Amino acid sequence: DPSWLWDVEFERLRGRRVTATGDRAADLAVRLRYAEVDCDVWDGPLVELLERSSDPEIDVLANYTVFADLMRAVGARA
């Protein structure tokens, strides 16, 4: 249920680099468009996206399950 997307103040992300990924990436991209936030959509694994980034700092907003999986993947690669 993507209704929660409308409860979040995504407008605060304006001017930041944002990439939507995961099962609800398209829903998030629509919501970000309404919030006037430019975003890319990534259709691959999140850990791969992070590996490709040259940004020195990356903020990840994820649910508990995705974040826990990401931490395991990053730990396995370290």
Side-chain angles (χ1 to χ4, degrees), residues 2-72:
S3 63
W4 66 270
L5 291 172
W6 300 95
D7 296 334
V8 177
E9 291 183 44
F10 286 110
E11 292 79 5
R12 299 172 99 188
L13 297 175
R14 287 181 188 149
R16 297 191 68 174
R17 184 174 177 197
V18 177
T19 303
T21 187
D23 295 338
R24 296 287 186 184
D27 296 324
L28 179 56
V30 169
R31 172 62 180 100
L32 291 170
R33 184 173 300 136
Y34 277 96
E36 299 176 0
V37 175
D38 292 329
C39 81
D40 298 315
V41 176
W42 175 259
D43 192 26
L46 178 56
V47 70
E48 186 178 319
L49 173 64
L50 297 176
E51 288 174 342
R52 291 175 176 225
S53 177
S54 61
D55 293 332
E57 282 189 19
I58 299 172
D59 296 317
V60 175
L61 304 174
N63 66 29
Y64 177 82
T65 303
V66 171
F67 196 77
D69 291 345
L70 176 63
M71 294 306 296
R72 279 192 291 280

